[in-house]
Amino acid sequence: MAFLFRSGSIDNSKMDAAASHQIHTPEEAVSRIAYLSSDVIVSVQPSLATDSPFSSHLKRYASRKDKSIVAKNADAVPEIQSVRHNADPLLSVFAPIRSGKLVSVTTTSSILLASISHLYKLANYPVVLHVSLEPRTFADYSVITSIRNSGWTFLHSESLQEAQDIALTAHALAIHTGKGVIHFFAPSTSTSDKPVAPEDPSVVRGLLDIESVRRFQASTISASGIYADDGHVAVSSRVPEPLTDAEHQADTAGGLQAPVSAVASKVTSAGTSVKTSRASESGDSEASVSVATTVETAPPQITSADIYESATRIWRQLEAAVGRSYSAFEYTGPPNATNALFIFGSDAGSFGEVLDSAKPDDVFANAAIITPRLYRPWIGSKLVQVIPKSIKRIAVLEQIQRKTTKWGPTLIDVLTSIKSGPGGVEHIVGYQLGYVDPKVITQALRGIFQNLTSPKPIQNLEVGVREAPEEESQYTTKPSTHETAYNKILQQLFGKRSYVANAIKSQHAGISATISASPEFGFGSLLARKDLRSRFVAEAKAAASSKDFITDAPKNWLAKWALAAEDPSKASEIADDVIARLETDGSPLSQKLLANKALFRKESLWLTGSDAWAYDLGNSGVHHVLASGENVNMLIIDSTPYSEKAAADAERRKKDIGLYAMNFGNVYVASTAVYSSYTQVLQALLEADKFDGPSVVLAYLPYFGEGDSPLTVLQETKKAVEAGYWPLYRWNPDNEKKGEPNFTLDSELIKLELKKFLERDNQLTQLMKKEPKFAASLAQDYGTEVRAQQKRKAKDAYNQLLEGLLGAPLTILYASDNGNAATLAKRLGNRGRARGLKTCVMAMEDYPVEDLAGEENIVFLASTAGQGEFPQNGLAFWDAVKDSTELDLATVNYSVFGLGDSHYWPRKEDKIFYNKPAKDLDRVLANFGGKRLADIGLGDDQDPDGFQTGYQEWEPKIWAALGVDKVEGLPEEPPPVTNEDIKLASNYLRGTIVEGLNDTSTGALSAWDQQLTKFHGTYMQDDRDVRDERKAQGLEPAYSFMIRCRLAGGVATPKQWVQMDDISTSLGNETMKLTTRQTFQFHGVVKGKLKPAMQAINRALMSTIAACGDVNRNVMCSSLPTQSKYHKQVHTVSQKISDHLLPATTAYHEIWLTDDDNKKTQVAGEAVQDFEPLYGPTYLPRKFKITIAIPPHNDTDVYAHDIGLIAIKGKDGNLEGFNILAGGGMGATHNNKKTYPQMGRMFGYCSAEDAHIVCEKIMLVQRDHGDRKNRKHARLKYTIDDMGVDVFRGKVEELWGKKFAEERPFEFKSNVDTFGWQKDENGLNHFTFFIENGRIEDTPDFRMKTGLREIAQLGKGEFRLTGNQHLILSNIADEDLPAIKELMKSYKLDNLQFSGLRLSSSACVAFPTCGLAMAESERYLPVLISKLESCLEENGLRQDSIVMRMTGCPNGCARPWLAEVAFVGKAYGAYNMYLGGGYHGQRLNKLYRSSIKEDEILEIMKPLLKQYALERLEGERFGDFCIRAGIIKATTDGRNFHDNIMFQVAEEGSDEE
Ligand code: SF4
């Protein structure tokens, strides 16, 4: 039999029986009601990545776009604002509630105490707080009693059904009374409830009183802020109607007729006499009225009586609708009971069950239970009314874990409400209710009643145990795994010296996680720690002269230590020695000192916190620390993603802690971001530690969820830093003493607030004086909306230009991906002008959309990006046009031309992507009433002349439509400028590079110079991660330069390694890339640092000349760690070829290596005429690559280069000569069958002495016969294929004057590296490191860069870069091994526990720097491999080497076409997949699938790997297997690379159907 109000006994018959979905938890019930009844729901979550029991439901409704009942607009979906529990959630309530939105909050009780100040201010608004009490297993009601006087109405529910009904009551009551309502419940009480039907929306609508809702929504409350009382008073939505006499009598008469049984108990004593006048309540001596309502002064205020009456009304209405009744106090039990339990806790149901089944002689037989439903306002008179006259004794059970007053608050409530004395209630006894195990409930009840019924009951007895079985709360302040990065750095920097007050694992007995994570707590414990140390130092000093040691050593060492105790580094140095002596000594005094041995170090004291400290509550704690002046350090991690910062509510007033701290003057402040600059983080932490006073290091680490990949964190960080939202800076008040500016800016841009501060503080002027080059970047600041103004200016300038010209206007807008649409548009503009039209040509993104409706004639040229998307520079325009609701183009004539590739997306369902942007635009413009000048024109790359075919048809139609098609005497158009022209006009690669470098107004170089600098080994790039963000800020792209060194054969000295490392840190982006051509590449070198970087490279005795450009590039050579002598001989040849083919121009030295003062050297002008004996003024038609492989290792992919030399060893073990291959090459263009990768063809053998001459002659034949018209057809491979191998070889032999000999036999076994230690023939040691994709960088988890640097600083051996982007530490003598091995171990550099697949993988750079990248590569391949590794494991393939490569585009930098399996970027997130390459690089692969994404890649790879594991033959390689198993056809020559593609045949077949 169920007792009380268990849901099992509820009659649901009136609910919508058809409702299929049942509600299972109270949180779900509450969420649904809150969703239906609110405009805004503040959903408090453990973290943004972890849902609360409410938020998962709320998000579900929102994702289904379920409608709210109260929404003004019928289609409106309530807004869900997710807020972290420790980020001052109630701050989010103010703005919406004051603007007339109904707000509810779903939360646990953990936020309540900290939010008291807000609660007082929000009490007079109709906000509803649904609170599930924590801890979940055993709720603590003291949180509710602590805030009971905050002026809110409190409603309590116990079962699942009640949670739903009372939630609804709460919303209705808030609307009716205009006051805040807190609905609280302990979720554990309904765990065994049966699911309930969802409340019928019509019932909800009826109770909410939509008229009142609309009245509230129509009002806005003006308030200046959230820190002062805004004086708002709650106003009832309606004048309470007096109850009818009948109702009145029913109440007074029936009130005491308590039911005799549980079932009958459903008829409760609800709504006994309701008095509508305030006077009657306040004058009622029997009742106490909640403080909340008594503080209200000004009319028309809501009284306790009003609230009570409204609640009663709502319950009556609810009862009529659903048959369930509720009242302010629920009395359940026999009408003649003498004993009753008043329970304020979660166990009422369990107690009820025991009472229900009590035997007649049980001490608790016939007892009743009373529970509060309307807890506040507490209407004492109503309590009196529900209690039968027969009751003599009441036990008040309060479930309060931490008691702060002698008498429980509920006991006091009851005592003040009920007069005890003879004839009435005789005893009211308070109990503290702890956790009662269900098995001992009877026993507990017996104890309670025995005391209650004794003649002198004892007050304040404890029932049950204090500690409930523990369940870990979700609402801890446990930092995300992302955030451990900074803690790791602290450990790395300060090691044993670091002391973090609130470290993740530290536990503080009896202190909740929330409290121990507060700045005040941490600060207190750091002070205690400091205090402890000063006492310890005194003790240790005293011990230095003590006689209590057994040995002498401790005294001497302690004396020595005492002198250095306050010096962090010296104290640490001596600490270990002192400790060792004390340990040996073993005396009690030694033991005593050793108990605190950590204190022998002068600790670096840290307090770590989150951006929760940026909100009011945390911020006051931060203030304490800063104001204290104490030498403690704070590390505050901000994890709000940049892309969400705009969504943040302005009212939440997140404080800028950095700015706040700088205003203090005596605080060290740094703003850092580990994913932007690792070095800057280190520097800041070290400076903070050193600073004698408070320090704040702000650390940015944005993430959306726990599962975010580091790539997401990196991209978010970069956007924030690059846009100036999160500037990197350091503020050191100590600098002033040295005459230095306090402020150091470590990133490029700052935000306005910061700039203002600096201006005020005079720091800006100081800084600019010291670093004039900073002026430009400091002058720019984040937050100025300049973009719109820029557009306006550009357009106005155009209009001015056109003024006075005759002829019809024609505006030409383009959106261009690779420049074709832009070129076409500009040419169209020129031709239009020649025909007398007033033409204006702009990129769509530069065009002010508001001008569109005013155009007369406008044409658009749009190419196709990604998956049928607009190119970047057309996206914003397209978004504005398509989303416009008021564009009227009735007077506009337009036409659209699109550029696309009808075969780019081979799948039938993807055909829609072909020229989609142009088609969409054409359609939308017509919908807005535009008139077509000409039908849409479509350019298709597959047409005989590419897009030109379609264009030739379209353009004349435009002229005809504008009436200028028959113009006579048009001038001849100049041919487009080609790379050949640029080279010719450059005066041997000079161009205007010097002028460009001196121009500080832009970070870029001119387009021509960009082509020329390639020959000097540097490319201009821009950071694609932040392109959009910078554009939005009105900034030019984040330009920087990639610099590639020239390092024949990839051999560097340790000193060179250190020098390269320095360059990357001080002039680049703190990382280095070891390239597939065995050299160093730096990224992120800004223009101003380009020359210093070139000079530094030169000082390292390296060069960058001819590392890129149409010349012979870096010459490669197998690394061969096992035969050093032989390697040396072959390596010498590679150097010789490299030197021999070097361009002769002196421009390189003039531009990069002269001092600014050295005016002697002529740079510009025509005075210096160089002579290029090998290249001539136009150099080569295209890049030229040479490599040497030493069999059996094909680690340099000898078949993939213009010239491949295969070293042939003589019988004496020395190098004898080379087999020469020519005409290999990787670059291709997607879907362009005229382009293909090709393998080098065998030309024959030559001696070692002739090798460089042979290379020269091959290069010269290519120089003279290569295609200089079409760069896509200019590589040597096409020249040889067009000419035929024999003819080409003949020409080489003619120039050489000798003939190639018969090729010599050789054998390759693999093209991957052999990792780990190997010994060579001289007994020297070589270690091959695994450097994933060649990226040398430090991360908090793996400090590879620092480790390698330290090894290099030992100055031993040499560093060989491999063609697979790995690194060999070579020529290490046995005696040097121990030191090196130790370093390797400490930096985890000896770890080779990777899968064979990972070890054999390689990827090109691609995003964010490579301008050609269509998809991620280097940053994504490791992620993809991780996703395949479990499958490798399952199939026993973990150790198997499978060559897998990835590139971001078909240019093929990582030589993907030779891999057994390859992925080549097609669009962001989509790749073409290739299979069947030869394991030792001897065979090209073939296209297997086109444009597939990760899920498809995994779907294909997993079964394929399984099949390979099961069906492979002994020793059979994956690529070979794919061919034998018929999965792919073999590519036998580059010219059949595009043939026999199996899946396309099938696709085309299906097309025909
Ligand atoms: S393959 Fe393409 S994306 Fe990758 S680095 Fe080379 S050019 Fe860039």
Side-chain angles (χ1 to χ4, degrees), residues 1404-1406 1410 1412-1415 1417 1447-1454:
C1404 74
V1405 179
C1410 176
L1412 300 176
M1414 299 170 178
S1417 179
T1447 57
C1449 84
N1451 215 13
C1453 294

Side-chain angles (χ1 to χ4, degrees), residues 15-194:
M15 296 295 295
D16 179 5
S20 54
H21 180 79
Q22 297 268 300
I23 304 256
H24 288 80
T25 64
E27 287 94 345
E28 183 182 1
V30 164
S31 300
R32 184 170 170 274
I33 297 294
Y35 189 90
L36 292 174
S37 321
S38 313
D39 296 309
V40 174
I41 301 152
V42 176
S43 166
V44 180
Q45 295 185 198
S47 72
L48 293 182
T50 324
D51 272 323
S52 77
F54 302 99
S55 67
S56 51
H57 301 292
L58 292 169
K59 287 177 186 169
R60 190 175 73 241
Y61 308 140
S63 70
R64 292 195 309 229
K65 301 222 175 328
D66 287 1
K67 309 279 178 295
S68 146
I69 285 176
V70 296
K72 273 201 271 189
N73 174 341
D75 287 336
V77 172
E79 184 189 335
I80 316 278
Q81 287 189 12
S82 301
V83 187
R84 270 178 300 144
H85 72 113
N86 57 352
D88 220 350
L90 294 196
L91 276 179
S92 293
V93 176
F94 288 90
I97 196 80
R98 283 173 175 169
S99 62
K101 290 190 176 137
L102 285 175
V103 184
S104 56
V105 181
T106 55
T107 180
T108 64
S109 52
S110 66
I111 70 156
L112 293 178
L113 286 182
S115 304
I116 283 185
S117 57
H118 300 313
L119 287 176
Y120 274 98
K121 286 177 211 122
L122 289 171
N124 289 327
Y125 291 96
V127 185
V128 177
L129 249 71
H130 294 287
V131 176
S132 88
L133 295 170
E134 288 256 284
R136 276 185 87 78
T137 41
F138 183 60
D140 183 1
Y141 281 64
S142 69
V143 181
I144 298 297
T145 58
S146 307
I147 58 166
R148 66 191 185 282
N149 292 338
S150 56
W152 290 59
T153 302
F154 286 72
L155 290 169
H156 180 209
S157 70
E158 289 191 78
S159 67
L160 176 56
Q161 183 65 66
E162 280 177 31
Q164 178 162 274
D165 292 346
I166 301 304
L168 178 54
T169 310
H171 285 276
L173 195 56
I175 291 165
H176 290 188
T177 62
K179 284 187 70 73
V181 179
I182 291 177
H183 162 221
F184 63 98
F185 59 93
S188 62
T189 57
S190 46
T191 40
S192 49
D193 286 4
K194 288 193 198 121

